[in-house]
Amino acid sequence: MSFSVLMVSAIMVLNSCDASKKVVNEPIAEVVAVEEVVNETETDSVSAIKIITETEVVIQNDTISETEVITETTQTEIFDHTIWNDLLNKHVSEKGNVNYKGFKSDYSILKNYLISLSEKTPDDTWSKEDKLAYWINAYNAYTVQLIVDRYPLKSIKDIESPWDFRFIKLGEKWFTLNDIEHKILRKMDDPRVHFGIVCASFSCPKLQNEAFVAATVNAQLDAATKEFLSDSTRNNLSENSIQLSKIFKWFSKDFKKEGSLIDFLNKYSEITISQNAKKSFKEYIWDLNE
């Protein structure tokens, strides 16, 4: 009697173990948290940040394993600068030499980009980064158009009052290059913009061969500033003596908003310059940047 009871109990335990084993051997997957945030502006522009976090837990043969947490972030720019980016990739060298003949051959594409700038202008819903990217790209693209419309020429100064010529239509307003630089970009209180915008001349900061975009505009401006300062054809820096581009003379106030000019230079230069360094300015060469 006792032996029979023991046998039945053993069988029940084995069956229970088999059932548990079947459950344990089945992978258990759990997807945790899918969050999407979408902000729509009045102009139907979408800036989206999408975060996907996934955790998968597998229990098999008494071993527990867990995957890495996966986070994916996707950001859509308010304004698409792809056309301008492609043109810059195609017609501007790494050193900033501009192929104006090439731009002239792709004039219809350039015009399409300028039209897109006119059809969608910044408003209060745009971030500072979106506005910076838009206005810097607009300044540079319209400067290229100004040259291409009169090419060939040796210098932008061959054009009568090039920075006061009111040829830029954005939305319902007409602008000059000076309007964009002095009434918009400089009022954003970021002196790095002086190294992002280009006056089509040799001594200017080089035209980058990529468009500025909101997601990376700060890193791009940092890089452009450092590159300009380290270029000995435009600046010569040492601890006790500096020969600077006249940009630092013409717009000196812009570089002193968070300290002295030397403080600004030291923030982006590869060497540490003395506050008492002897200062002079290099000749500004207005030859076309081609």
Side-chain angles (χ1 to χ4, degrees):
M1 180 74 172
S2 298
F3 178 76
S4 299
V5 172
L6 288 172
M7 288 295 294
V8 170
S9 298
I11 292 170
M12 291 176 65
V13 170
L14 288 171
N15 288 339
S16 176
C17 287
D18 287 341
S20 298
K21 187 176 181 181
K22 289 179 181 177
V23 173
V24 169
N25 285 339
E26 290 180 2
I28 301 172
E30 179 185 5
V31 176
V32 182
V34 176
E35 181 179 355
E36 184 172 356
V37 180
V38 178
N39 298 319
E40 293 191 7
T41 69
E42 292 181 359
T43 55
D44 295 328
S45 301
V46 177
S47 178
I49 298 177
K50 184 178 181 181
I51 301 174
I52 302 173
T53 304
E54 182 177 13
T55 303
E56 183 177 339
V57 180
V58 178
I59 305 174
Q60 190 168 9
N61 296 330
D62 296 329
T63 301
I64 299 175
S65 61
E66 185 173 338
T67 63
E68 295 284 339
V69 175
I70 301 171
T71 302
E72 179 181 313
T73 304
T74 304
Q75 180 173 347
T76 303
E77 301 280 335
I78 287 180
F79 193 98
D80 186 359
H81 297 285
T82 301
I83 296 175
W84 180 233
N85 187 73
D86 291 345
L87 285 170
L88 292 170
N89 286 168
K90 186 176 181 181
H91 300 305
V92 182
S93 73
E94 286 287 340
K95 293 183 178 180
N97 301 112
V98 183
N99 180 3
Y100 289 104
K101 290 181 180 179
F103 271 109
K104 198 161 190 172
S105 67
D106 280 337
Y107 193 77
S108 61
I109 300 174
L110 174 62
K111 284 290 290 182
N112 285 339
Y113 177 66
L114 300 179
I115 290 169
S116 72
L117 289 171
S118 181
E119 291 177 344
K120 187 174 183 180
T121 57
D123 58 33
D124 291 340
T125 66
W126 288 36
S127 69
K128 181 179 180 179
E129 290 74 20
D130 280 299
K131 291 176 182 177
L132 274 172
Y134 176 95
W135 288 113
I136 293 172
N137 289 331
Y139 186 99
N140 291 339
Y142 277 105
T143 298
V144 168
Q145 185 198 30
L146 185 71
I147 299 298
V148 168
D149 283 348
R150 295 155 181 82
Y151 193 82
L153 71 168
K154 293 182 178 180
S155 169
I156 191 172
K157 284 198 162 187
D158 292 342
I159 304 169
E160 183 179 357
S161 303
W163 295 285
D164 291 315
F165 178 42
R166 197 167 299 278
F167 71 106
I168 303 167
K169 187 174 186 294
L170 299 170
E172 298 302 317
K173 297 180 180 179
W174 289 88
F175 297 84
T176 67
L177 289 172
N178 270 340
D179 288 334
I180 295 176
E181 180 177 9
H182 302 296
K183 296 180 180 180
I184 298 174
L185 281 170
R186 290 183 67 196
K187 288 188 175 182
M188 297 180 77
D189 292 327
D190 190 336
R192 298 175 303 169
V193 299
H194 291 294
F195 313 109
I197 58 175
V198 180
C199 62
S201 304
F202 176 82
S203 289
C204 290
K206 79 174 193 181
L207 181 61
Q208 302 293 328
N209 64 351
E210 64 177 8
F212 287 88
V213 293
T216 58
V217 67
N218 283 303
Q220 289 175 297
L221 287 173
D222 277 349
T225 303
K226 291 175 181 178
E227 184 177 25
F228 184 72
L229 287 176
S230 65
D231 184 348
S232 61
T233 63
R234 293 164 172 90
N235 300 276
N236 292 111
L237 308 179
S238 65
E239 181 182 354
N240 297 308
S241 177
I242 53 177
Q243 288 182 298
L244 298 175
S245 163
K246 284 186 178 177
I247 289 174
F248 293 103
K249 181 179 181 180
W250 297 329
F251 307 107
S252 60
K253 291 181 181 180
D254 294 1
F255 301 104
K256 298 176 182 178
K257 292 185 177 181
E258 295 182 1
S260 67
L261 170 60
I262 300 299
D263 291 332
F264 177 86
L265 296 175
N266 280 335
K267 185 175 180 180
Y268 297 101
S269 65
E270 297 175 352
I271 64 168
T272 300
I273 304 166
S274 168
Q275 291 288 343
N276 299 316
K278 183 180 179 181
K279 179 176 63 178
S280 61
F281 296 97
K282 295 174 75 74
E283 179 186 359
Y284 209 85
I285 301 171
W286 291 98
D287 294 347
L288 209 60
N289 59 341
E290 60 179 346

